[in-house]
């Protein structure tokens, strides 16, 4: 399937955007985790036809684009992030015709489609890797991965001391005695990006999906493709900490940027403002900015912001650093609170600060939801692009009490490394109050949904004043109509009480109270939206704890 789709041109959001074609600078992009979004055939697993059937919901929510997590042919050792064929759809999700239909329908609704690309590693069932094993040491196919002899008298030790992000050694020994590198699960061997065939293959894969009509790619482990020359031991480095201060020999190597410059040349051959988005876990936002220089990628996820506690001083610091880092390279800042790899922010904020992004306890559900709503309005008020993870618009918490018998996350079963509790944010979302799997499908669900899930459903929240879903809809509608929201590279900070963030963008003002107590501030004009009840009188406003308010100074 190689037909060329025409690029879409959605209506401009407001007059300030009418002359600008770079839609991605202020886009709100909604992440769909296909296996947990909607199931069209009742097998308990979400699929592309299910996503396609729910596209009108996403249009009405007010997002600009949909990012689809992997749906490629895969043994599913890591939920599709172990790809066996980059040009095929896994049968559990449908086929290429389903992908084509989804993209066409999305474009017809004014939505763009971004797909995941997994270039750091393949599945061990990829034809290249299977041939490499069959052909043995010295095979040209082994040069496309990182095969090495082991250390020790008989080669019985791994080639170096690297550890997998999922726990345990980053090396697995094969029957003929050689070892291969996998920074994640053993079923995910890392490509050797020094080999020209790897680059040739991925440029071909890019063109395959661009010809089908996708609007861009989210690049998985974008910081990991190039390893330090010689694959040196970690030595004095501590166990991998993705948000630590050191650049590890297998992450964030400068050589990745040559790859992305080549990819950008491919993307720029296509009309319609196609984009790249980097998943780049780097030590600092300044290092992240390297990925979005003008001749490289368009956006990079802001994991420093995601990992920030609900604290005014900490938030202001990361906001300032982000805007300062992106300004010299001319790239938009991005803001994100949740995704498929971390505890949902409604649960993170329900727990004490400092616990990180993977949390095992439910915490104070009411507190977490109140803070999550306030954090969302703060995020959507900041200049740049924002990402929403499916279900966060419903205020969904993580499901923290899944039993060992139902868990799927490979990291959970490998002891060290990541905590392995990603299943909690991947439970299928509820669409209806009642019925089989709360409207997810007409069968069960691949991860069990908790009792009471229906009261958080789209059906239950639609049209309900004050619901989290209606708050998101109102916020996204306001973002489309307010000229001072969306793109930009700065904010004007205003004086505010301790524990409160206040900033102006033109005639728009955002005030976020993280203090845990009610505070009184100026009322900055006409109230547009608030995450909680706000009382105004005599030019002042009383903000409850954990509340964010939007004002406009226009009548």
């Amino acid at each position: 399937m190689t037909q060329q789709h025409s690029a879409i041109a959605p209506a401009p959001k407001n007059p300030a955007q009418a002359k600008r074609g770079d839609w991605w600078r202020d886009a709100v992009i909604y992440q769909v985790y296909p296996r947990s979004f909607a199931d069209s055939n009742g097998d308990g697993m979400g699929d592309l036809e299910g996503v396609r059937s729910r596209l009108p919901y996403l249009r009405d929510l007010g997002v600009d684009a949909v990012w689809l997590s992997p749906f490629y042919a895969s043994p599913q050792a890591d939920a599709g992030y172990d790809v066996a064929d980059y040009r095929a759809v896994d049968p559990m999700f449908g086929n290429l015709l389903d992908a084509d239909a989804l993209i066409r329908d999305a474009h017809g609704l004014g939505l763009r489609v971004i797909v995941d690309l997994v270039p750091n590693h393949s599945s061990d069932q990829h034809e290249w890797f299977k041939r490499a094993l069959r052909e043995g040491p010295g095979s040209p196919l082994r040069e496309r991965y990182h095969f090495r002899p082991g250390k020790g008298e008989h080669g019985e030790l791994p080639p170096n001391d690297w550890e997998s992000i999922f726990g345990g050694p980053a090396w697995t020994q094969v029957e003929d005695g050689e070892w291969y590198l996998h920074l994640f699960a053993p079923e995910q061997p890392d490509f050797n990006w020094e080999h020209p065939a790897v680059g040739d293959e991925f440029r071909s894969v890019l063109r395959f999906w661009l010809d089908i009509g996708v609007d861009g790619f989210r690049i998985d482990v974008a910081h990991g493709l190039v390893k330090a020359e010689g694959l040196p031991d970690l030595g004095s480095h501590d166990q991998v900490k993705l948000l630590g201060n050191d650049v590890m020999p297998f992450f964030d190597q400068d050589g990745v940027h040559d790859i992305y410059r080549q990819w950008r040349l491919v993307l720029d051959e296509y009309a319609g403002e196609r984009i790249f988005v980097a998943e780049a876990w780097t030590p600092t936002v300044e290092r992240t900015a390297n990925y979005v220089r003008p001749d490289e990628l368009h956006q990079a996820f802001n994991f420093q912001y995601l990992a920030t506690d609900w604290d005014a001083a900490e938030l202001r610091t990361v906001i300032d650093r982000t805007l300062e880092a992106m300004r010299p390279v001319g790239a938009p800042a991005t803001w994100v609170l949740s995704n498929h790899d971390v505890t949902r922010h409604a649960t993170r904020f329900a727990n004490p600060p400092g616990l990180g992004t993977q949390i095992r306890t439910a915490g104070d559900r009411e507190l977490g939801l109140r803070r999550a709503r306030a954090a969302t309005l703060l995020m959507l008020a900041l200049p740049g692009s924002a990402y929403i993870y499916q279900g966060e618009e419903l205020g969904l918490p993580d499901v923290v009490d899944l039993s060992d018998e139902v868990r799927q996350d490979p990291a959970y079963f490998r002891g060290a490394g990541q905590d392995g509790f990603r299943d909690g944010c991947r439970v299928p979302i509820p669409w209806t109050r009642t019925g089989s799997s709360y409207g997810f499908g007409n069968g069960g669900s691949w991860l069990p949904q908790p009792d009471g899930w229906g009261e958080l459903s789209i059906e239950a929240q639609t049209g309900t004043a004050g619901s989290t879903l209606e708050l998101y809809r109102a916020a996204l509608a306001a973002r489309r109509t307010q000229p001072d929201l969306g793109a930009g590279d700065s904010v004007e900070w205003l004086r505010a009480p301790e524990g409160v963030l206040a900033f102006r963008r033109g005639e728009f003002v955002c005030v976020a109270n993280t203090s845990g107590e009610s505070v009184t501030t100026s009322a900055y004009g006409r109230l547009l939206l608030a995450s909680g009840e706000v009382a105004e009188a005599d030019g002042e406003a009383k903000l409850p704890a954990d509340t964010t308010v939007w004002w406009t100074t226009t009548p």
Side-chain angles (χ1 to χ4, degrees):
M1 180 179 302
T2 58
Q3 70 263 34
Q4 177 78 46
H5 285 224
S6 60
I8 61 171
K13 299 174 192 175
N14 60 55
Q17 298 163 326
K19 296 181 180 179
R20 202 187 65 243
D22 46 358
W23 62 274
W24 43 275
R25 289 189 172 275
D26 61 358
V28 176
I29 299 173
Y30 186 100
Q31 181 189 359
V32 167
Y33 195 68
R35 60 171 53 205
S36 299
F37 192 66
D39 171 19
S40 71
N41 60 11
D43 66 355
M45 187 69 65
D47 46 48
L48 295 183
E49 182 58 31
V51 177
R52 180 186 175 201
S53 70
R54 299 295 191 176
L55 289 174
Y57 164 75
L58 298 180
R59 173 202 59 196
D60 295 343
L61 181 62
V63 301
D64 301 293
V66 180
W67 153 34
L68 298 169
S69 290
F71 51 80
Y72 306 110
S74 166
Q76 304 295 317
D78 185 22
Y81 284 93
D82 51 316
V83 180
D85 187 343
Y86 290 86
R87 297 175 180 83
V89 173
D90 194 280
M92 74 163 54
F93 297 121
N95 54 45
L96 279 175
L97 291 176
D98 296 320
D100 180 79
L102 188 160
I103 294 166
R104 287 181 179 275
D105 282 8
H107 287 176
L109 294 169
L111 295 169
R112 299 178 189 266
V113 178
I114 297 168
V115 299
D116 240 305
L117 188 66
V118 188
N120 179 71
H121 49 262
S122 73
S123 165
D124 62 354
Q125 298 304 302
H126 191 285
E127 186 58 33
W128 282 5
F129 192 77
K130 291 194 295 183
R131 282 184 56 194
L133 292 183
R134 288 196 306 267
E135 295 175 5
S139 164
L141 271 298
R142 291 204 176 189
E143 296 175 5
R144 300 180 186 184
Y145 295 90
H146 293 279
F147 278 88
R148 296 288 189 278
K151 292 182 177 180
E153 183 178 357
H154 303 291
E156 71 277 11
L157 300 175
N160 67 24
D161 63 357
W162 294 4
E163 294 190 7
S164 164
I165 303 304
F166 287 170
W171 296 90
T172 290
Q173 191 173 29
V174 300
E175 289 184 0
D176 54 48
E178 286 198 329
W179 298 73
Y180 69 87
L181 176 68
H182 52 86
L183 293 182
F184 295 87
E187 298 87 353
Q188 296 168 289
D190 278 43
F191 284 116
N192 175 16
W193 274 88
E194 300 298 323
H195 195 290
V198 177
D200 291 344
E201 169 68 0
F202 273 92
R203 287 190 294 274
S204 174
V205 169
L206 291 176
R207 288 191 170 93
F208 178 86
W209 288 103
L210 289 166
D211 287 341
I212 287 179
V214 303
D215 299 286
F217 301 88
R218 176 265 191 187
I219 305 168
D220 185 61
V221 195
H223 56 302
L225 278 57
V226 174
K227 280 66 175 176
E229 185 176 358
L231 308 185
D233 283 343
L234 288 174
S236 62
H237 285 281
D238 294 331
Q239 168 69 18
V240 177
K241 295 185 174 91
L242 292 181
L243 294 179
N245 293 321
D246 292 330
V247 176
M248 309 303 288
F250 42 78
F251 282 149
D252 196 28
Q253 297 293 305
D254 289 340
V256 298
H257 302 291
D258 291 333
I259 296 169
Y260 298 137
R261 290 185 186 99
Q262 294 175 24
W263 285 16
R264 182 62 178 267
L265 294 175
V266 173
L267 200 71
D268 288 348
E269 296 172 9
Y270 289 79
E273 291 288 336
R274 320 290 178 101
I275 69 167
F276 286 123
V277 182
E279 183 207 29
W281 290 85
T282 65
T284 65
V285 290
E286 290 79 12
R287 292 287 300 183
T288 301
N290 291 337
Y291 290 78
V292 289
R293 288 174 287 200
D295 60 344
E296 295 188 44
L297 310 179
H298 298 77
Q299 293 184 352
F301 290 139
N302 191 342
F303 291 114
Q304 285 79 13
Y305 185 77
L306 182 151
T308 302
D309 291 324
W310 180 239
D311 176 89
E314 293 182 23
L315 286 163
R316 178 166 175 171
T317 296
V318 75
I319 291 168
D320 281 341
R321 287 192 65 183
T322 297
L323 295 173
E324 290 168 7
M326 296 299 144
R327 200 174 295 124
V329 295
T334 66
W335 314 101
V336 60
L337 292 167
S338 288
N339 65 34
H340 66 291
D341 279 335
V342 301
T343 301
R344 289 182 178 275
H345 62 281
T347 296
R348 292 204 314 277
F349 293 154
N351 282 273
L355 296 183
T357 58
Q358 290 195 337
I359 296 173
R360 308 183 184 191
T361 60
D364 184 334
R365 163 69 178 145
E366 182 180 348
L367 173 66
L369 179 59
R370 188 168 67 246
R371 288 177 171 175
R373 288 162 57 96
T376 294
L377 285 195
L378 172 61
M379 175 184 77
L380 292 174
L382 293 170
S385 181
Y387 283 78
I388 294 172
Y389 177 51
Q390 64 177 45
E392 73 170 74
E393 77 275 18
L394 306 177
L396 294 186
D398 250 50
V399 181
V400 298
D401 56 356
L402 293 168
S403 65
D404 291 356
E405 292 74 24
V406 302
R407 288 192 179 276
Q408 305 285 326
D409 186 351
Y412 183 74
F413 302 100
R414 290 179 60 81
Q418 291 185 352
D419 289 336
F421 281 80
R422 298 178 299 175
D423 291 320
C425 65
R426 298 176 178 184
V427 173
I429 67 173
W431 292 87
T432 58
R433 280 193 173 93
T434 59
S436 177
S437 62
Y438 301 107
F440 168 66
N442 58 17
S445 61
W446 68 284
L447 283 171
Q449 299 159 301
D451 294 337
W453 213 230
E455 292 309 305
L456 298 176
S457 67
I458 290 153
E459 179 185 44
Q461 295 196 43
T462 294
T464 301
S467 72
T468 302
L469 176 57
E470 293 301 340
L471 177 69
Y472 270 71
R473 286 173 169 160
L476 294 177
R479 216 179 129 96
R480 286 180 174 272
T481 57
Q482 291 296 312
D484 295 312
L485 283 177
D489 63 5
S490 63
V491 299
E492 176 192 350
W493 293 108
L494 304 174
R495 294 186 62 181
E498 185 176 356
V500 177
L501 286 174
F503 61 84
R504 183 188 303 277
R505 299 186 61 199
E507 296 179 336
F508 170 86
V509 174
C510 176
V511 178
N513 176 16
T514 76
S515 70
E517 300 177 351
S518 293
V519 298
T520 299
T521 74
S522 297
Y524 288 94
R526 177 168 58 89
L527 193 149
L528 286 173
L529 194 61
S531 66
E533 295 293 329
V534 175
E536 293 186 291
D538 301 324
E540 292 186 331
K542 186 174 183 179
L543 277 62
D546 306 309
T547 300
T548 298
V549 185
W550 289 2
W551 280 284
T552 179
T553 58
T554 58

